[in-house]
Amino acid sequence: MPKKKKGGEEPPKKEQKIVYIDDGSTVANMDGTFGRRGQPRQRSTWREKARTYFAVVKKLLPYMFCTLIAFTLVFIILLAATGRI
C-alpha cells in the first residue's frame, strides 16, 4: 500500500500506456492487420467486386424506394397544406 504524503494527498497513480502496433496499414485498409502475417494478400477479381456491388445494391433498393415514397408523400402534404394542389 503506497504511503500518503503529509498533506493527505495520494501519490499519482501510474497510467497504463497504450501500445499501438504499426504494420504499415492505413486506417481505411485494416483487413490485413490480423492473422496471416507475412503472406501476400489475395486481391479480388473484377467479377467478385461486381457481384458484391450488385448484391449490396439489391439489398438497399427497398430502403431507397421507401425513402423516395416518404419524400413524395411529405411533398404532396406540403403542397396540399399551402393550397397549390
Side-chain angles (χ1 to χ4, degrees):
M1 183 173 226
K3 295 182 181 180
K4 291 187 177 182
K5 294 184 178 179
K6 290 183 181 180
E9 301 171 10
E10 293 184 20
K13 294 181 181 179
K14 290 186 179 181
E15 293 183 21
Q16 184 178 6
K17 275 191 159 182
I18 298 172
V19 178
Y20 296 99
I21 299 172
D22 184 17
D23 64 347
S25 296
T26 62
V27 174
N29 182 15
M30 297 300 286
D31 60 345
T33 56
F34 299 107
R36 308 172 277 158
R37 301 263 183 208
Q39 292 181 352
R41 208 176 74 207
Q42 291 181 341
R43 305 211 41 109
S44 60
T45 63
W46 184 88
R47 177 171 279 168
E48 290 171 342
K49 290 178 185 177
R51 282 184 185 163
T52 303
Y53 173 77
F54 288 114
V56 170
V57 168
K58 274 201 289 190
K59 288 183 180 180
L60 290 177
L61 279 176
Y63 300 108
M64 182 189 71
F65 287 133
C66 288
T67 304
L68 289 175
I69 290 170
F71 283 145
T72 304
L73 290 176
V74 169
F75 181 70
I76 291 172
I77 290 170
L78 288 174
L79 282 177
T82 58
R84 296 198 178 190
I85 286 184

